Amino acid sequence: MWLDALYHSLNPIAFQLGPVVVRWYGLAYFFGFICAAYVIYRTARRWGTDLSVDDVTTVIVSIAFGVIIGARLFYVIFYGDGYYLANPIKILATNEGGMSFHGGLVGAVVGGALACRRLHFSIPTMCDLAACGAPLGLFFGRCANFVNGELWGKPTDLPWGVMFSDAGGGSVYRHPSQLYEAILEGLVIFAVLFVLSRKRPARPQGTFIGTFLMLYGVFRFAIEFVRLPDEQLGYLLGTNWLTMGQCLSVPVFLAGVAVLVVAHRLNRPQEGFLDVAEGDGQFVRNE
């Protein structure tokens, strides 16, 4: 099992400077946001919008706060199974793990929208730009999950099975479901959106965020079949296959389809900064 040997050679701690410990999981968030910012900036230039480096920085910082807060809150609400009601102080213990992608998505939209309102930039266009960069963040995050040995899959006899240290159940090789997600939710979705973003003029508003949501919903739902459910929840509704991740992925997929349908019908072009009113009632371009 060659991948198993690679896993056991990795250390969740990237480096340590005295009492300061830097983990790969934290670096995954950092590099994910940096790469997303670069993709947003380059794609915005390709589409002819006027986003500057400072504008992108403002949006990314706002999105980052939204992702972290939303991801944590969703995990507490949907995956906590009453634990956090009994131990509310643990809600702040993010170092112990517990982040939900679905909550991070909601937080990202809210944070990005607030930044766009401040900049007077088109929110639908920013959603499309952010969707183009988000898969790279997912890729780094899932790779960090693999390094941490968390969110592992079901037993397998495939040659790339991994014996995760904390999985329990004895010497059992399991699906590296974290890497399946890194490839499908990260690299594949990024490649699809990158190809779509190359067209000029840019495809209508909603095309990219809709495609992202639809593909993520499909991939996440499928991978849950080879990934173990969260221990505190198990399978839902008396089944031996339905997980919370699948339940949350269905509305994500449906939202993606709905956005694509609306985008096709409205056929609105991508736009950048909006005209805003001055005190005398005249409208000027916000630069």
Side-chain angles (χ1 to χ4, degrees), residues 82-89:
Y83 172 77
Y84 294 100
L85 288 176
N87 304 275
I89 191 63

Side-chain angles (χ1 to χ4, degrees), residues 91-195:
I91 294 176
L92 302 177
T94 55
N95 61 304
E96 298 179 2
M99 305 288 274
S100 164
F101 163 80
H102 303 88
L105 174 63
V106 173
V109 172
V110 173
L114 291 175
C116 286
R117 286 180 62 86
R118 177 183 175 186
L119 296 172
H120 302 290
F121 192 87
S122 169
I123 292 177
T125 292
M126 181 54 67
C127 285
D128 278 342
L129 289 170
C132 292
L136 294 180
L138 286 174
F139 171 76
F140 285 117
R142 294 310 184 189
C143 288
N145 290 146
F146 176 76
V147 174
N148 283 349
E150 57 192 6
L151 307 181
W152 50 76
K154 296 179 179 178
T156 181
D157 57 0
L158 292 171
W160 54 81
V162 176
M163 192 180 300
F164 293 102
S165 304
D166 300 325
S171 301
V172 178
Y173 288 101
R174 298 180 178 277
H175 284 284
S177 53
Q178 314 96 324
L179 299 185
Y180 299 167
E181 291 184 89
I183 293 171
L184 293 177
E185 301 169 5
L187 299 182
V188 172
I189 295 181
F190 174 76
V192 170
L193 295 179
F194 178 78
V195 171

